[in-house]
Amino acid sequence: QVQLVESGGGLVQAGGSLRLSCAASGSIFSINVVGWYRQAPGKERELVAEISSSDGATHADAVKGRFTISRDKNTVFLQMNSLKPEDTGVYYCNTYKLTTRGERMDFWGKGTLVTVSS
């Protein structure tokens, strides 16, 4: 129903910047919220930031002041500045729909790898 494709990951030095993109396609007319998650090796996947259809945005405490989520039509961006080694991980784009029973149905991209070296 929904396809999400991430891009923009790579290798960067600490203090550098990267801009991630998430392109959405398919049955996206009812999507209200898109989020960026990340997962470091051996750790749980965590929410980084999310944005609503009205452009309301939230950011995790660990990235506030450094990362900014934004959107332009069917693409959601994550601008990452002042990167730290602990930001290293696979970054995933996520959205969801609600079924007629109010159950959450998630859609995920395949992820893009971000590596921050010291």
Side-chain angles (χ1 to χ4, degrees):
Q1 293 187 22
V2 177
Q3 294 82 47
L4 303 173
V5 180
E6 306 97 333
S7 62
L11 174 64
V12 66
Q13 293 283 116
S17 298
L18 285 174
R19 185 178 179 85
L20 306 184
S21 298
C22 172
S25 61
S27 301
I28 60 175
F29 58 88
S30 61
I31 292 176
N32 292 128
V33 178
V34 176
W36 279 101
Y37 289 73
R38 68 185 181 187
Q39 187 165 23
K43 295 185 178 180
E44 296 184 38
R45 189 172 299 185
E46 63 177 348
L47 176 66
V48 176
E50 60 183 10
I51 189 167
S52 70
S53 60
S54 61
D55 290 339
T58 59
H59 299 79
D61 289 341
V63 306
K64 283 183 178 178
R66 299 188 298 118
F67 292 9
T68 303
I69 190 170
S70 62
R71 61 178 289 169
D72 181 17
K73 295 185 178 180
N74 295 333
T75 303
V76 176
F77 304 96
L78 185 67
Q79 179 65 48
M80 305 187 295
N81 299 325
S82 302
L83 283 161
K84 305 174 181 180
E86 52 262 45
D87 294 319
T88 293
V90 178
Y91 284 68
Y92 299 91
C93 186
N94 164 269
T95 191
Y96 67 90
K97 292 185 176 182
L98 297 179
T99 69
T100 54
R101 292 186 174 183
E103 299 172 334
R104 176 168 168 157
M105 180 171 62
D106 283 278
F107 300 89
W108 296 90
K110 293 183 179 180
T112 184
L113 178 63
V114 172
T115 303
V116 184
S117 65
S118 59

